[in-house]
């Protein structure tokens, strides 16, 4: 099992972090929509949906910070396309490296400046302290706006990222998708 990247492809650490972050990110968007727009405001289930949203969001903050450090110290595999989309992919990947960190920090700021001062019980195990900020309605409103628009904006960019991955796989058949898959699947379906 190769842990590190090389010029041809990703190692298990990059692949593992990518898919873990991808799954938790998509679940966070769904949970965010459900708790703010679908579940009844005062239900007990809504309280717990917020708690799980905050827990997984903070986990995402940790995983994304870890990935950022890993990307900075690791080799970046070469682009396989050969048709000029490398620049666009580079910009999107750089944005997606930072976006979950910024979104999660904005979320943490919301709960820290909220006059309601509801504690965050991470995974129902530990209380996460609030950031040392001054609570207030206006500050909360602004933090919610930043969190919301960054989250939905990033969801659109992720949709473009997924569409690009599918085009690499089914249109250009250049191996970009397969090198981000677990090793066993790579050897079963590598078309490079
Ligand atoms: C079903 C969902 C997804 C699919 C199919 C997918 C697919 C891929 C593929 C094939 C690559 C390799 C591109 C290359 O080597 O040039 C990649 C890289 C990347 N993806 Fe995704 N992705 C998904 C979701 C996400 C999400 C939700 C995020 C971030 C929130 C994300 C962030 C990244 C980043 C930062 C890279 C650059 C490589 C790295 O640093 O890990 N992806 N993705
Ligand atoms: C990358 C991780 C995260 C994503 C993708 C995300 C996504 C979302 C989304 C889509 C919403 C619904 C917005 C709306 O329609 O109003 C939301 C709301 C919310 N999120 Fe997050 N979130 C993340 C992390 C966090 C974290 C770490 C916290 C707190 C520690 C947090 C706290 C909240 C709160 C309090 C709301 C409700 C805001 C309101 O009243 O409208 N989120 N989030």
């Amino acid at each position: 099992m190769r842990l590190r990247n090389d010029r041809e492809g990703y190692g298990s650490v990059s692949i593992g972090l990518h898919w873990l972050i991808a799954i938790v990110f998509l679940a966070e968007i769904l949970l965010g929509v459900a708790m703010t727009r679908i579940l009844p405001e005062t239900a007990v289930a809504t309280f717990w949906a917020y708690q799980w949203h905050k827990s997984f969001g903070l986990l995402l903050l940790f995983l994304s910070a870890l990935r950022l450090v890993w990307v900075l110290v690791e080799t970046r595999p070469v682009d396989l396309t050969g048709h000029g989309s490398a620049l666009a992919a580079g910009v999107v990947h750089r944005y997606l490296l930072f976006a979950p960190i910024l979104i999660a920090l904005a979320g943490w700021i919301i709960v820290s400046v909220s006059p309601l001062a509801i504690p965050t019980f991470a995974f129902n195990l530990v209380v996460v302290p609030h950031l040392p900020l001054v609570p207030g309605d206006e500050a909360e409103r602004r933090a919610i706006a930043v969190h919301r628009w960054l989250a939905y904006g990033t969801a659109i960019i992720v949709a473009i990222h997924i569409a690009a991955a599918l085009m690499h796989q089914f249109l250009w058949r250049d191996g970009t998708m397969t090198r981000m898959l677990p090793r066993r699947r790579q050897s079963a379906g590598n078309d490079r």
Side-chain angles (χ1 to χ4, degrees), residues 123-142:
F123 297 101
N124 213 8
L125 291 174
V126 280
V127 177
V128 178
H130 287 154
L131 297 167
L133 299 167
V134 183
D137 286 328
E138 185 52 30
E140 187 188 22
R141 247 194 313 277
R142 282 186 190 185

Side-chain angles (χ1 to χ4, degrees), residues 66-143:
L66 206 66
R67 167 161 75 181
L68 187 58
V69 173
W70 187 249
V71 168
L72 290 175
V73 299
E74 261 303 76
T75 309
R76 195 144 50 89
V78 287
D79 187 81
L80 296 173
T81 55
H83 52 69
S85 69
L87 181 66
V91 173
V92 168
H93 292 169
R94 275 189 193 91
Y95 175 79
L96 292 178
L97 281 176
F98 287 98
I101 299 177
L102 298 177
I103 300 168
L105 283 176
W108 199 356
I109 293 174
I110 301 177
V111 294
S112 304
V113 298
S114 168
L116 294 176
I118 298 171
T120 297
F121 303 107
F123 297 101
N124 213 8
L125 291 174
V126 280
V127 177
V128 178
H130 287 154
L131 297 167
L133 299 167
V134 183
D137 286 328
E138 185 52 30
E140 187 188 22
R141 247 194 313 277
R142 282 186 190 185

Side-chain angles (χ1 to χ4, degrees), residues 5 8-10 13-15 17-26 60 64 67-68 70-71 76-81 86 89-90 92-100 103 154-155 157-159 161-166 168-169 175-181:
N5 300 351
E8 273 72 53
Y10 295 99
V13 175
S14 296
I15 295 173
L17 281 172
H18 175 269
W19 291 113
L20 200 56
I21 292 171
I23 290 166
V24 180
F25 181 86
L26 296 174
L60 211 46
S64 305
R67 167 161 75 181
L68 187 58
W70 187 249
V71 168
R76 195 144 50 89
V78 287
D79 187 81
L80 296 173
T81 55
V92 168
H93 292 169
R94 275 189 193 91
Y95 175 79
L96 292 178
L97 281 176
F98 287 98
I103 300 168
T154 304
I157 292 175
V158 165
H161 174 70
I162 295 173
L166 294 176
H168 280 292
Q169 179 68 4
T176 297
M177 180 73 158
T178 38
R179 73 177 180 178
M180 191 43 106
L181 296 178

